[in-house]
Amino acid sequence: MEMLTQAPKGTKDVLPDESYKWHYVEGKIREIARLFGYKEVRTPTFEHTELFERGVGDTTDVVQKEMYTFTDKGGRSITLKPEGTAGVVRAYIEGRLYAQPQPIKMYYITPVFRYERPQAGRLREHHQFGVEVFGAPEASVDAEIISLAVTLFDRLNIKNLELNINSIGCPSCRPRYHQVLKEYLSGQLDQLCSNCKQRFDRNPLRILDCKEERCRQVVASVPVILDFLCDECKAHFDGLKRYLDAAGIPYKVNPMIVRGLDYYTKTVFEFISRDIGAQGTVCGGGRYDGLVGLCGGPETPGAGFGMGIERLLLVMENQGVEIPPPPKLDVMFITVGDEARFQAFKLVRDLRLKGISADMDHVGRSIKAQFKYADKLNIPRVCIMGEDELKNGCVKVRDMASGREEPVPMNEIVAYLERLRRLD
RNA sequence: GUGGGUAUAGCUCAGGUGGUUAGAGCGCCAGAUUGUGGCUCUGGAGGUCGUGGGUUCAAGUCCCACUAUCCACCCCA
């Protein structure tokens, strides 16, 4: 097909008949973010490549093979955001937000880019709603962001999401577990898939959520990280569970979820749907206490999540969730002849200035065609202006549902329609 | 990066074993005695049959390559 007339692979247009769904979801997001005390942050669509290499971690798949990276005309290496957190961390440091009253609670809605093969629920450009909290180490924050996500799902009438939580420890206890894990696996190295053999040295944790059947068997009876957490991490995880219990949020402790980004410490979690195909993660996040420091800011605890808006919409569609349709045009002017169109143009303008949405024919169609058009657009009322009406200085207002028509003097039409709209 | 499915009108799809001007439904535009929508009827526009090769007297149909798209793997939202 033509390059010219086809969106790049893995990208999607949101056409006018769909955009109201996005407005609806984004509206709920902003409403709930406000309810929880989060303010919006907007960061650039691209950042210096180094930020992601450092922040996300250069052993991750995201950095190793999925980034949209290019050299700009000044010779800088630039990368389109492959996730939302790193840019916000950078902005927190650059904007000296650590000098403001802590914690800082922010949210964003942003495009995210990853070079992957598209499939159901996966695009090269998608959009994420994310939240980040800086300067608060307590487990109550981890519980709060999970609660925020749950509240949003409820408000959107999304059902059957499964919340999985886990703790992957901190720099003081995770190395111990790595050792235990490697000792356990070293005897069965030859049974692992080739991918996992490489992970063994680089990031043994990731072997835990390999989908290969033989790896799963090896890993089935592996020691669990939760048994090796240091006292602080253990207390933190217990705290998280207590807060979730208190909020009445059901969850499953799943020691096999580890997440693909290097910056996580302690809490990690995922919301998973079975209704949208193989890529079921709708929301993923956790705690990242070392990230701000790693990126050159003061040591600052942090926690957050990213939520895929396309996947959100997919779940809603597959679950048959009704989204309120956008408001229709209030009134359409149907004109016969040039003079009528001229007069209608002025009236339409007056109506719009008064907050009544109005439109008129711009293509010189027959009166019948104009009616059909208004009917197809489901417009509740039309105003008819032809020679007779011009002669009498009035317009005929027709209610499309009932078919009733009423003549109204031209200079009263604005007030008349305002009155009608108050009644609707 | 790997594997599988699909590719005919704006949309959903027909087009046995290759055979003259490629069809339907829906949608779009127009009309049914000249100023009125929905129902009905009539007409019209719109297709280099994804692209490029090959086989053949003849290819939408068979073969090859490429591209796009969908689904799955890896991984992730």
Side-chain angles (χ1 to χ4, degrees):
Chain A
M1 272 282 201
E2 308 270 336
M3 292 277 227
L4 216 55
T5 56
Q6 187 158 41
K9 184 194 281 286
T11 66
K12 282 257 190 301
D13 297 312
V14 178
L15 296 174
D17 286 346
E18 295 272 308
S19 51
Y20 75 96
K21 298 178 183 173
W22 283 75
H23 294 160
Y24 177 77
V25 169
E26 287 167 6
K28 294 285 184 206
I29 286 172
R30 294 182 191 284
E31 192 180 311
I32 282 157
R34 193 196 60 77
L35 210 55
F36 278 71
Y38 290 67
K39 292 188 195 165
E40 186 182 14
V41 59
R42 299 193 187 197
T43 68
T45 303
F46 54 85
E47 297 275 358
H48 294 119
T49 302
E50 293 81 354
L51 175 66
F52 301 118
E53 288 173 344
R54 177 74 72 86
V56 177
D58 43 20
T59 66
T60 60
D61 280 15
V62 168
V63 169
Q64 282 192 335
K65 54 182 205 190
E66 292 171 5
M67 295 210 295
Y68 271 93
T69 298
F70 60 95
T71 305
D72 74 8
K73 293 185 178 176
R76 290 169 280 257
S77 180
I78 294 293
T79 295
L80 267 26
K81 299 184 187 180
E83 56 94 57
T85 301
V88 177
V89 166
R90 199 223 76 238
Y92 175 84
I93 298 167
E94 186 173 351
R96 314 284 138 101
L97 300 188
Y98 49 78
Q100 294 183 15
Q102 304 293 298
I104 300 282
K105 310 208 294 186
M106 298 184 271
Y107 79 96
Y108 54 81
I109 296 172
T110 185
V112 170
F113 306 86
R114 285 181 210 163
Y115 190 88
E116 301 182 275
R117 289 280 289 269
Q119 72 186 76
R122 171 188 289 155
L123 297 162
R124 286 186 174 179
E125 180 188 25
H126 76 279
H127 297 78
Q128 284 189 18
F129 160 50
V131 306
E132 314 290 352
V133 180
F134 295 95
E138 294 296 325
S140 53
V141 165
D142 308 46
E144 177 180 284
I145 61 177
I146 289 173
S147 163
L148 190 160
V150 168
T151 306
L152 177 62
F153 297 140
D154 285 348
R155 291 285 177 91
L156 290 174
N157 273 315
I158 290 174
K159 299 189 178 58
N160 302 327
L161 293 187
E162 186 182 278
L163 169 61
N164 287 296
I165 65 170
N166 190 24
S167 175
I168 57 169
C170 66
S172 82
C173 56
R174 200 183 308 157
R176 231 169 54 208
Y177 177 67
H178 276 187
Q179 262 187 339
V180 171
L181 191 58
K182 286 169 97 164
E183 275 167 30
Y184 177 89
L185 291 172
S186 59
Q188 314 178 63
L189 246 187
D190 51 331
Q191 312 216 24
L192 296 175
C193 71
S194 60
N195 221 322
C196 282
K197 281 175 189 149
Q198 291 178 6
R199 288 170 173 153
F200 183 81
D201 290 316
R202 273 216 317 268
N203 194 350
L205 261 192
R206 294 212 61 78
I207 299 175
L208 295 183
D209 69 352
C210 184
K211 275 80 182 177
E212 289 282 333
E213 187 49 38
R214 46 206 181 119
C215 296
R216 303 190 70 140
Q217 279 177 13
V218 170
V219 151
S221 52
V222 88
V224 160
I225 189 168
L226 293 174
D227 296 331
F228 294 85
L229 295 180
C230 60
D231 290 346
E232 185 192 319
C233 287
K234 191 166 168 19
H236 195 273
F237 192 53
D238 288 342
L240 171 63
K241 290 188 283 189
R242 274 218 318 284
Y243 283 116
L244 291 177
D245 291 337
I249 295 170
Y251 58 86
K252 191 172 120 191
V253 174
N254 180 351
M256 297 301 156
I257 75 160
V258 300
R259 315 236 5 104
L261 311 179
D262 277 356
Y263 49 62
Y264 288 114
T265 55
K266 295 185 173 134
T267 308
V268 292
F269 64 88
E270 290 178 0
F271 286 89
I272 297 166
S273 168
R274 292 179 192 288
D275 296 326
I276 54 173
Q279 306 303 321
T281 306
V282 172
C283 174
R287 176 161 284 282
Y288 45 83
D289 287 343
L291 185 55
V292 175
L294 184 69
C295 292
E299 283 303 328
T300 307
F305 67 66
M307 188 184 294
I309 297 183
E310 281 85 354
R311 288 188 187 173
L312 217 52
L313 286 162
L314 245 190
V315 176
M316 291 170 76
E317 188 177 325
N318 292 353
Q319 293 187 354
V321 174
E322 304 262 349
I323 296 178
K328 292 171 288 209
L329 206 61
D330 292 321
V331 62
M332 179 85 197
F333 272 67
I334 287 180
T335 61
V336 186
D338 289 345
E339 180 57 21
R341 184 191 293 127
F342 189 75
Q343 296 299 332
F345 183 84
K346 293 194 290 184
L347 288 178
V348 163
R349 177 174 157 77
D350 290 344
L351 286 165
R352 288 167 174 168
L353 293 179
K354 291 288 185 186
I356 293 173
S357 61
D359 208 347
M360 59 183 285
D361 175 69
H362 293 292
V363 289
R365 269 196 282 237
S366 72
I367 185 166
K368 183 183 217 131
Q370 292 182 56
F371 265 100
K372 279 190 182 171
Y373 181 78
D375 186 53
K376 263 173 277 196
L377 268 57
N378 244 301
I379 295 166
R381 264 180 279 280
V382 300
C383 289
I384 305 145
M385 292 184 76
E387 283 175 33
D388 297 350
E389 287 79 9
L390 284 178
K391 218 173 294 166
N392 306 331
C394 69
V395 304
K396 243 188 257 168
V397 181
R398 178 184 178 93
D399 181 294
M400 291 296 275
S402 68
R404 259 196 298 276
E405 283 182 7
E406 192 170 343
V408 177
M410 270 175 68
N411 55 8
E412 288 172 27
I413 189 67
V414 175
Y416 177 84
L417 289 172
E418 277 186 302
R419 203 160 53 240
L420 272 183
R421 205 174 61 152
R422 271 197 296 275
L423 295 176
D424 286 345

